[in-house]
Amino acid sequence: MAWMLLGLGAVLAVIVVAPVRLRAEVNSTPARVRVELGLLWGLVRFALLDSARPRKPRREAPKAKAKAGSWRPPKQFLRLLPGAALEALGKIRVETCRGALWFGLEDPAMTGELYGRLAAPLAALGGGRWLRLVPVFDRETLEGEAELAVSLVPARLLPLAARLVWALR
């Protein structure tokens, strides 16, 4: 029995310490959105959202009536929430962030002017590393694609979660 509890504790420790990876891809042509969750260093992956996959029709659940004395979180919890959200964002590691935008206006001169006005501020912000602008002079178009991958270790969020749960009491 002790070995079984020790084994279960080890499995839970690995799950809490192993990074969780969230990857999102968006394409405009063909229109597609895919969000994928990777667990245990990416060994276990599954799609949370895939617009290319056919959907099953959902049944609508009966609506529950609102109670007169509904629960509200304490004020201390609500005061901690914005700071906790920023702290949680600080614990997230951005692995990949890149995108491309193809654009064209009806007049090629206007396309060039827009490209010139957008390229300088984007370069000053370091956007050339994560966003690529591509002017299209032969047609009107607005197309794009983007990819974002972030990871976090759930154990790093435990102290934050404990503070929030403590504020709920």
Side-chain angles (χ1 to χ4, degrees), residues 9-158:
V11 168
L12 286 174
V14 166
I15 289 173
V16 170
V17 173
V20 175
R21 186 169 193 253
L22 187 67
R23 185 170 172 264
E25 289 181 37
V26 179
N27 291 320
S28 65
T29 50
R32 182 173 186 198
V33 176
R34 180 173 171 82
V35 179
E36 183 179 271
L37 181 68
L39 303 172
L40 299 172
W41 297 279
L43 295 175
V44 179
R45 291 184 186 159
F46 55 92
L48 297 176
L49 173 69
D50 191 355
S51 62
R53 189 174 58 200
R55 295 184 185 162
K56 296 177 186 175
R58 291 187 179 187
R59 291 185 305 152
E60 288 190 27
K63 295 182 181 180
K65 294 180 181 178
K67 296 179 183 176
S70 63
W71 179 82
R72 289 186 177 200
K75 289 182 181 180
Q76 181 182 1
F77 177 80
L78 294 175
R79 277 193 305 264
L80 284 176
L81 208 53
L86 288 175
E87 186 178 342
L89 282 176
K91 307 223 184 265
I92 294 174
R93 189 178 120 215
V94 177
E95 294 179 357
T96 306
C97 180
R98 65 176 160 245
L101 181 67
W102 292 270
F103 65 94
L105 302 174
E106 60 188 36
D107 183 10
M110 290 172 56
T111 301
E113 183 178 343
L114 180 62
Y115 177 69
R117 289 179 186 254
L118 293 176
L122 188 64
L125 295 172
R129 292 185 304 243
W130 52 272
L131 180 63
R132 188 172 47 124
L133 291 176
V134 182
V136 178
F137 295 104
D138 59 348
R139 67 184 189 281
E140 278 188 71
T141 186
L142 182 60
E143 300 173 8
E145 63 185 30
E147 178 184 1
L148 175 69
V150 296
S151 68
L152 67 98
V153 177
R156 294 183 70 198
L157 295 177
L158 288 177

